[in-house]
Amino acid sequence: MHDTLSRTAVPETADATGPELLEAGFRLVGAASDVPMLEGRRATVDGQRVAVFRLPAGFAAIDAHCPHRAGPLYDGLVADGCVTCPLHNWRIDLASGRVAGQEQVVGVHEVIERAGQLYVRLGASACDRGGDCDHAGEPAAGAA
Ligand code: FES
């Protein structure tokens, strides 16, 4: 399964919003068309793994791995604004990062679509907050 977004060159847009977003701290992660409705794809932003989802109301981005045992959230089922981890079914709200019935919170990141491209700006991740993450040894996207 193709689960990874691949970066392309910064598109030349009529209003040049791409470069402005980059200056504002956003990073180009790939084409919006590569994320099907109610699915997720993984991407790397400044060395951090994120999962980008397409929802009926737009896009959402959270940390790529589950705070339980590092399940691949980008492969989870998406419904009602939440993703369900494919390993043990923890349910994570894509807007808040809250895990249903747990104390853990997943990092939420900003994602913007411009000219068919997706840009992500990192928020505080679970790692930054001293969360319980054990995914540091995963190979870089596209390396496997
Ligand atoms: S790794 Fe996600 S619920 Fe266990």
Side-chain angles (χ1 to χ4, degrees):
M1 181 172 112
H2 178 70
D3 62 7
T4 306
L5 287 171
S6 54
R7 283 175 286 234
T8 57
V10 176
E12 301 220 5
T13 59
D15 57 2
T17 53
E20 288 180 10
L21 288 171
L22 297 176
E23 288 177 16
F26 285 87
R27 298 292 177 258
L28 179 63
V29 295
S33 60
D34 285 345
V35 186
M37 181 59 71
L38 299 180
E39 289 192 22
R41 293 292 183 267
R42 65 179 167 175
T44 302
V45 178
D46 292 341
Q48 183 172 325
R49 305 285 165 33
V50 300
V52 179
F53 300 89
R54 182 191 288 265
L55 304 173
F59 290 90
I62 62 173
D63 290 345
H65 294 94
C66 181
H68 180 217
R69 296 202 178 169
L73 296 176
Y74 44 87
D75 283 340
L77 292 176
V78 178
D80 301 325
C82 296
V83 62
T84 300
C85 179
L87 295 191
H88 313 100
N89 298 322
W90 279 18
R91 188 170 161 90
I92 297 160
D93 186 286
L94 293 171
S96 68
R98 292 207 167 101
V99 182
Q102 306 292 333
E103 292 186 7
Q104 287 92 336
V105 178
V106 173
V108 176
H109 312 290
E110 293 178 75
V111 55
I112 290 177
E113 178 185 6
R114 286 287 186 277
Q117 302 294 314
L118 295 175
Y119 296 82
V120 171
R121 181 164 64 185
L122 295 176
S125 72
C127 301
D128 295 336
R129 294 190 300 248
D132 181 22
C133 60
D134 57 359
H135 58 269
E138 179 178 312

